[in-house]
Amino acid sequence: MKPWLIIILFFKFSLSYLPVLGQQQYDTAEKISELKIKLTDDNLKKEKGDILLQLTELYWKNNPQKAIKVGKESIGYFEKNNPKKLPDALINTAISFYYNGNVDSTIVYTLKIFSLNSKYLSTEKKGVSYNLLSVAYKHKSDYPNSLAYGTKAIATFRQVKDSLRLAGALDNIASTYRLMGNYEQALSYSLDGLQIFENQQDSTGIARCLANISTLYSNLKDYKKSKEYHQKTLLFALKIEDAFFLADTYNNYAAIFNETNQLDSAYFYYQKALNLYQKVKSPTGMATVQQNLGELYLKQGEVPKSIAHLTQAYTLFHSLSHNADLVDACINLAEAYQQANNFDQALQYYNQAVEISQKIGNVPLQKRALKGKQQLLIENKLYKEAYSTLRSYYQLKDSIENVDVKEKVAELDKKYQTEKKEKEIAHLKISKQKQKNTLYFLSIGIITLFLFSFFWWNFLRNKRKREAAYNKLKVIQMQQNEKQLRNELEFKNRELATKVINIQERNNLLKEYLQIINNIKDNSCQDVMPELNHLKREIKAKLNSKKEWDDFQSYFEQVNADFSKSLFDINQNLTENDFRLATLLKLGMNNHEISGILSITSQSTKNALYRLKNKLKLDKHTSLRSYIRNL
C-alpha cells in the first residue's frame, strides 16, 4: 500500500473515533478479545476462573446472553477447583440474567448463594446478594420482599462500612417506596444516597439518584421539577458512557414529554431509547419502549400503529413473566381495540387484565381494568354486565376502605376502653382520699409543690442545655456545608480546567496533522490532491467547531452562574470571543495557553486582552486577570 494512502486512512480513522463512547466500545471489544486469547493459553490455566469472571462482567450490558453462558461456565469451574470464588460466579450470573430480562432466574441463582458453606460467604457478599434480591423482587412487583431484602442490604453495608454500596442500596429501596406511592419515604432515602455519592464524587451513583428523584416528581405530576432533575441526569448519563443507563434516561425523559403532550419530543427520545435497548439487547427495555410508543400513538389517534407496538410489548412481557407490566399492556390493548370498535378483542384483553391483576394482588391495576371494562360494556349497551362489573369495582374499593376503617375503629375502641378504665381508677382513688384527714392532704400538697418546683427547675435547665447543644450542632453543620460547597466548586473548576487543556491538546494535534498534510501535498501527485484537500477541510472544521465550545460554556455557566451576567452588566456590547477570553482568564490560563486553545497567535492574544480591558472600562493600573478572577 502507498505511504500517502496509509496516512489518509489513519487520519480518517482518528477523526471518526473522536467520540468517547465509540472509543469505550472499542476498548471493551479489545479487552474481550484479549481475555479470549488468555483462555486458550495453557500457561494461564490456573487463572481461568478469574478470566471467566471478567468476561461475564464485560458481557453484562453488551451481550447478556453470552454473559449467562460464560457465567454458568465459571460456576462449573469454581465448583470443581475453588469453591471460595463460587459466590462471585453466582452473583455475576444472576446479574447477567437480570440484564437479559429473566428476573426469576436472577432470584434462583442469588438464593443459591445462601445455600453455600458459610465460610465461603463474606458479609460483603451477603449484602450484595440481599440488594440483588431486592432489585429483582421490585421488578416482579413483589414490594414486601423487595423492602425486606433492601433493609437487610442497608444494614449489612452499614456493618461493613461500604459507603458506595450503601448509597446504591438506599437509592434502590427509595425506588421501591416510590413504586408503592410512599413518596415522602422515597425522597428521604434518595437524598441520603445522593449525599453519599456526592461525597464520594461517584458520577454513576449521582446520575441514578437524580433519575430516581426525577421520576418521583413525575409521579407527583410536578413535571417542571422532574424535567429539571432529568436534564441533570442526562448530562451525567452522557458523561459516564453507560449505554444501558443512557437508554433508561432517554425513555424516562420521553415519558415527561408524553405526559406534557409534547409528543414530537417524546417520540424522538423514545426512538433513541429503543435504538440503545436493541443495541444492548435488553428485552425488558425494548418491551417498555414499545408499550410507551403504543400509548403515544393511541393518544394521537393512530390506532393501528398503537396496536402494533402494544402487541409487541405484550408478547415480550408475556415471555419475560413480568405480570404487572403484562396487565398494563392488556389494558392499553383493550383501550386501543375499544377505539377501533373491536368489542370482542377489547373485552378479551380487559378480562385477561382483571384475571392476572387479581392473581398477583395488584389492586390499582385490577380497579383500572374493571373500570375500563365497565365503560366498554356501557358503550355496547350491555347494561346488566356493566352493572355487575361496576359492583365488582366498588366491592374491591370498599373492601380496601373497609379494612382501613375497621382498623381505625378498633384502634379508637381500644383507646376508649383504656380511658374508661383510667377514669374508674381515678374516681376510686378520689373516693378513698376523701376518707383521709386534712393533715394528709396538706402533706401531699407540700410534697407536690416541692416536686413540681424541682421538675420545673430541671426542665428549664435541660431546655437550656438542649438549646446550647442545638446551636453548637447548627454551627458545625453550617461549617460542614460551607466546606462541602468549597470542595464541590474546586472539583468542578478542576474539571473545567482539564476540559480546556484537552481542547488545547486536541487543537495542537490537529494543527500538527494540518502541517503534515501540507508537507504531503508539496511532495504528492495531483491524483491525491482532492482527498488531501477534503481531509484538510475536515480537520479545519474540527478546529473551528462551535459545538465543543458551546458544551464547555454550558458547563462553565453551571459552575459560575453569575459570571456572564456580571460581564454583560458592565458592557452589553461584548462579543462571543470576549466572553470566551474572559472564561479562560477566569480559569487562570496564561497567554500561551489561551493562544493554543483559541488557535490564534501570541500577538493576537495580547491585542484581544487589550481590547477586552478597554471594553471593561479598566484603568491602566488595574490588572485585567485579577479583576476577572475576583468578578
Side-chain angles (χ1 to χ4, degrees):
M1 186 178 287
K2 296 180 179 180
W4 59 265
L5 186 56
I6 294 174
I7 294 171
I8 290 174
L9 290 174
F10 169 75
F11 276 110
K12 287 189 174 181
F13 179 85
S14 300
L15 289 171
S16 66
Y17 272 85
L18 280 174
V20 184
L21 185 58
Q23 184 62 46
Q24 188 197 41
Q25 292 171 343
Y26 174 80
D27 291 342
T28 301
E30 193 172 27
K31 287 177 184 176
I32 289 172
S33 298
E34 289 176 1
L35 290 172
K36 283 182 175 180
I37 292 170
K38 287 182 179 180
L39 280 176
T40 61
D41 191 340
D42 292 336
N43 296 322
L44 298 175
K45 280 186 177 181
K46 291 183 179 180
E47 298 178 22
K48 181 179 178 181
D50 292 329
I51 294 171
L52 289 172
L53 287 177
Q54 292 177 56
L55 268 176
T56 308
E57 292 177 8
L58 288 171
Y59 277 133
W60 272 349
K61 298 176 183 178
N62 297 316
N63 195 334
Q65 291 177 350
K66 281 190 178 180
I68 291 169
K69 183 179 178 183
V70 178
K72 287 181 177 180
E73 187 180 349
S74 70
I75 291 171
Y77 176 85
F78 287 124
E79 282 177 339
K80 293 179 181 178
N81 300 288
N82 188 0
K84 288 183 180 179
K85 288 286 188 77
L86 196 51
D88 295 308
L90 286 167
I91 289 171
N92 280 8
T93 307
I95 294 172
S96 302
F97 275 113
Y98 175 78
Y99 280 116
N100 197 46
N102 193 338
V103 182
D104 289 328
S105 294
T106 299
I107 293 171
V108 169
Y109 274 82
T110 308
L111 289 174
K112 284 182 180 180
I113 295 168
F114 295 100
S115 64
L116 299 174
N117 192 319
S118 58
K119 67 180 181 180
Y120 300 141
L121 189 58
S122 66
T123 306
E124 181 187 358
K125 292 293 186 295
K126 283 183 182 178
V128 172
S129 303
Y130 288 142
N131 199 50
L132 186 53
L133 284 169
S134 177
V135 172
Y137 278 115
K138 176 181 65 179
H139 213 71
K140 286 175 66 68
S141 304
D142 186 348
Y143 303 132
N145 268 326
S146 178
L147 289 178
Y149 282 111
T151 304
K152 287 183 179 181
I154 289 170
T156 305
F157 291 137
R158 280 198 171 119
Q159 180 185 345
V160 298
K161 298 180 181 179
D162 190 334
S163 299
L164 285 178
R165 286 197 172 103
L166 172 60
L170 288 168
D171 186 54
N172 170 57
I173 206 168
S175 66
T176 304
Y177 276 116
R178 175 178 56 76
L179 291 168
M180 294 171 69
N182 190 339
Y183 300 123
E184 185 178 356
Q185 194 80 299
L187 185 59
S188 175
Y189 276 107
S190 278
L191 291 175
D192 287 346
L194 180 61
Q195 186 176 10
I196 295 173
F197 281 130
E198 287 178 338
N199 289 339
Q200 298 291 330
Q201 297 180 357
D202 186 287
S203 298
T204 302
I206 293 170
R208 295 189 184 282
C209 283
L210 289 172
N212 207 357
I213 295 171
S214 171
T215 306
L216 185 148
Y217 279 114
S218 181
N219 293 154
L220 290 171
K221 310 297 182 185
D222 189 347
Y223 299 117
K224 183 180 179 181
K225 199 117 184 176
S226 177
K227 194 172 182 180
E228 176 187 328
Y229 272 98
H230 223 91
Q231 286 169 344
K232 294 178 182 178
T233 306
L234 192 56
L235 287 174
F236 277 101
L238 291 167
K239 180 180 177 181
I240 62 180
E241 301 150 17
D242 183 335
F244 198 92
F245 179 68
L246 184 58
D248 287 342
T249 306
Y250 282 144
N251 183 51
N252 293 333
Y253 203 30
I256 298 172
F257 285 116
N258 193 12
E259 290 291 341
T260 53
N261 289 320
Q262 295 172 275
L263 302 184
D264 289 339
S265 296
Y267 178 79
F268 173 77
Y269 283 104
Y270 278 142
Q271 285 295 334
K272 287 177 79 70
L274 183 59
N275 291 337
L276 281 174
Y277 281 134
Q278 289 170 341
K279 190 173 183 180
V280 299
K281 300 178 182 177
S282 170
T284 303
M286 289 186 280
T288 303
V289 177
Q290 292 290 359
Q291 168 122 315
N292 292 337
L293 285 170
E295 291 179 3
L296 187 147
Y297 280 122
L298 189 61
K299 189 180 286 187
Q300 291 179 320
E302 298 186 48
V303 179
K305 286 185 178 180
S306 174
I307 291 174
H309 284 284
L310 290 172
T311 302
Q312 288 186 55
Y314 173 89
T315 304
L316 284 168
F317 284 136
H318 188 274
S319 66
L320 296 168
S321 299
H322 290 183
N323 289 326
D325 293 321
L326 182 61
V327 173
D328 208 18
C330 285
I331 295 172
N332 288 330
L333 273 168
E335 291 172 349
Y337 278 115
Q338 191 172 349
Q339 283 196 27
N341 296 318
N342 189 333
F343 171 77
D344 292 335
Q345 286 281 54
L347 184 61
Q348 177 186 335
Y349 280 111
Y350 274 132
N351 286 334
Q352 190 175 353
V354 172
E355 181 184 350
I356 299 172
S357 60
Q358 188 174 13
K359 183 178 178 182
I360 65 174
N362 192 316
V363 176
L365 285 176
Q366 190 178 352
K367 287 171 62 179
R368 184 181 162 202
L370 286 169
K371 192 171 183 180
K373 180 182 175 181
Q374 184 246 349
Q375 291 173 349
L376 174 69
L377 293 168
I378 289 175
E379 287 177 7
N380 288 273
K381 299 181 179 180
L382 297 171
Y383 300 114
K384 183 178 179 181
E385 291 85 348
Y387 174 71
S388 175
T389 304
L390 187 61
R391 283 188 61 186
S392 299
Y393 173 81
Y394 279 110
Q395 283 173 0
L396 183 65
K397 183 179 179 184
D398 292 341
S399 67
I400 299 165
E401 293 175 351
N402 286 339
V403 170
D404 188 47
V405 170
K406 286 177 182 177
E407 289 176 352
K408 288 181 180 178
V409 169
E411 185 180 354
L412 288 172
D413 184 66
K414 185 178 179 181
K415 286 182 179 179
Y416 170 75
Q417 294 297 337
T418 303
E419 288 176 358
K420 185 178 179 182
K421 288 180 181 179
E422 288 175 350
K423 286 179 181 179
E424 289 174 354
I425 294 169
H427 185 268
L428 184 60
K429 286 182 178 179
I430 292 170
S431 298
K432 288 182 179 180
Q433 285 175 354
K434 285 181 180 180
Q435 298 173 7
K436 295 182 179 181
N437 55 40
T438 306
L439 183 60
Y440 178 80
F441 282 111
L442 184 60
S443 300
I444 293 294
I446 294 171
I447 293 170
T448 303
L449 181 61
F450 173 79
L451 290 174
F452 176 80
S453 300
F454 172 79
F455 284 119
W456 180 251
W457 171 81
N458 195 47
F459 168 77
L460 291 175
R461 187 184 66 170
N462 290 336
K463 183 181 179 183
R464 285 193 292 270
K465 284 183 178 179
R466 286 196 300 270
E467 287 176 349
Y470 173 77
N471 290 333
K472 184 178 180 181
L473 181 63
K474 195 172 181 181
V475 169
I476 293 171
Q477 209 168 32
M478 289 173 65
Q479 290 173 346
Q480 289 176 343
N481 290 340
E482 185 179 350
K483 183 179 178 182
Q484 183 179 351
L485 288 172
R486 285 200 304 269
N487 290 340
E488 287 177 355
L489 185 59
E490 288 175 5
F491 173 72
K492 289 180 179 178
N493 279 329
R494 284 198 300 271
E495 282 191 327
L496 285 169
T498 302
K499 190 170 182 67
V500 168
I501 291 169
N502 289 338
I503 293 173
Q504 180 185 6
E505 289 177 353
R506 193 205 66 164
N507 286 350
N508 290 338
L509 181 61
L510 291 175
K511 287 177 181 177
E512 290 178 11
Y513 289 169
L514 277 174
Q515 186 61 44
I516 293 171
I517 290 171
N518 288 331
N519 293 339
I520 293 171
K521 285 176 66 177
D522 295 336
N523 302 310
S524 301
C525 59
Q526 293 299 320
D527 295 338
V528 299
M529 285 299 176
E531 285 202 51
L532 289 171
N533 289 330
H534 174 71
L535 184 57
K536 188 174 178 181
R537 286 194 297 273
E538 283 187 7
I539 293 174
K540 285 184 176 180
K542 291 289 181 181
L543 275 170
N544 299 323
S545 173
K546 188 181 177 185
K547 181 179 181 303
E548 194 163 13
W549 263 108
D550 289 342
D551 292 342
F552 169 78
Q553 194 71 27
S554 174
Y555 190 67
F556 179 85
E557 289 296 334
Q558 292 179 26
V559 180
N560 302 276
D562 297 324
F563 181 72
S564 295
K565 182 178 180 300
S566 300
L567 287 174
F568 189 76
D569 290 341
I570 297 170
N571 189 339
Q572 298 182 1
N573 296 320
L574 291 175
T575 65
E576 185 176 351
N577 286 335
D578 292 331
F579 279 106
R580 286 185 181 180
L581 188 59
T583 299
L584 297 176
L585 289 174
K586 182 72 175 176
L587 293 175
M589 299 290 164
N590 58 39
N591 287 9
H592 179 70
E593 290 170 331
I594 293 172
S595 300
I597 293 166
L598 297 181
S599 300
I600 58 177
T601 64
S602 298
Q603 186 59 43
S604 298
T605 301
K606 291 179 181 177
N607 294 340
L609 290 171
Y610 177 79
R611 288 194 297 273
L612 178 60
K613 185 173 182 178
N614 289 336
K615 288 183 179 180
L616 295 179
K617 304 172 185 177
L618 302 179
D619 57 51
K620 62 180 181 180
H621 301 295
T622 303
S623 168
L624 176 62
R625 292 182 182 276
S626 299
Y627 180 81
I628 291 292
R629 277 198 299 270
N630 296 324
L631 190 63

